[in-house]
Amino acid sequence: MTVRQFTDEKLVIASHNSGKLVEIADLLAPFNVETLAAGSLGLAEPEETGLTFIANAELKALASATVSGLPALADDSGLAVDALDGAPGIYSARWAETPSGERDFQFAMHKVEMALAQKPDEPRTASFICALSLAWPDGHVESFEGKVDGTLVWPLRGLHGFGYDPMFLPLGGDLTFGEMQPEAKHAISHRADAFTQLVEQCFGG
Ligand code: IMP
């Protein structure tokens, strides 16, 4: 089956995260695409009811594309720990919710470490995964999944990045994502992997 090419001039970025909006606009800069933030078009964020990263990225992209009448790009990402059968996975952000209703990733990483401590004989391997979906108003969607493999360290190392970065040591590296400069992380990240596939497949990159 052939992959549909993106030939439009405008693309909605179906994210309400300002960091992601800037990152995606930068990545698409060479392709003469005008990017529009879903929030600026008044598009609501759908509930993430999917059971996989791709299902969630697709439902977000399709919701924006069908309502706006323009193609839309969405992502969904998280940390999958092998010894925890892929958890926290699609619930990576949810694992950071504290009893008082705030998001605290020190708390989330502590939870991961506690769960791993129950399985001292299991490997500490994990992957960051990023799904990217490009949807058109007619309901067609193309999806790509990027991945970076690594191991989880404890105690935490580094103050850069966000989320689970201080716990993640990429395979073959000496620095955690939390210790790496942002450019070094972005060169090897799950998000970069998914973007490379999207650009190669849909933007003739
Ligand atoms: P979402 O894709 O915005 O739903 O993000 C899910 C969660 O996965 C984030 O809140 C982060 O905790 C985690 N996550 C995704 N990508 C990264 C990353 O590159 N570093 C650290 N944590 C990440």
Side-chain angles (χ1 to χ4, degrees):
M1 220 169 58
T2 52
V3 175
R4 189 183 285 188
Q5 294 298 296
F6 179 86
T7 54
D8 296 66
E9 287 167 5
K10 293 183 180 182
L11 177 63
V12 177
I13 310 301
S15 169
H16 289 69
N17 173 325
S18 56
K20 277 188 194 168
L21 293 170
V22 173
E23 197 177 307
I24 293 172
D26 280 354
L27 283 156
L28 294 176
F31 300 99
N32 280 329
V33 184
E34 185 187 341
T35 53
L36 307 163
S40 72
L41 298 175
L43 302 173
E45 253 182 313
E47 215 186 317
E48 295 185 18
T49 53
L51 295 179
T52 62
F53 292 107
I54 286 189
N56 280 331
E58 287 188 347
L59 71 84
K60 288 187 266 187
L62 279 167
S64 283
T66 46
V67 175
S68 69
L70 295 167
L73 181 67
D75 82 334
D76 198 54
S77 57
L79 178 73
V81 182
D82 296 325
L84 307 181
D85 298 324
I90 56 169
Y91 305 112
S92 292
R94 218 169 288 174
W95 272 42
E97 282 169 17
T98 64
S100 60
E102 290 174 358
R103 263 193 197 167
D104 177 351
F105 283 96
Q106 301 275 332
F107 175 75
M109 289 184 281
H110 198 257
K111 255 162 77 174
V112 169
E113 185 58 25
M114 290 296 101
L116 276 175
Q118 305 289 316
K119 304 187 171 191
D121 298 328
E122 299 273 335
R124 295 178 59 90
T125 48
S127 309
F128 272 127
I129 296 171
C130 173
L132 270 181
S133 294
L134 176 59
W136 283 261
D138 67 356
H140 185 86
V141 56
E142 298 287 355
S143 293
F144 306 93
E145 195 168 87
K147 187 162 97 101
V148 56
D149 296 320
T151 53
L152 298 177
V153 301
W154 198 264
L156 302 174
R157 286 166 38 190
L159 299 171
H160 293 296
F162 67 100
Y164 297 84
D165 279 345
M167 202 178 185
F168 188 82
L169 182 68
L171 211 65
D174 300 321
L175 301 179
T176 66
F177 270 6
E179 293 171 311
M180 288 167 87
Q181 292 301 320
E183 307 75 50
K185 175 190 164 184
H186 293 156
I188 61 165
S189 79
H190 45 314
R191 216 160 277 111
D193 183 17
F195 262 105
T196 303
Q197 296 177 49
L198 169 80
V199 162
E200 278 175 10
Q201 299 285 324
C202 295
F203 289 76

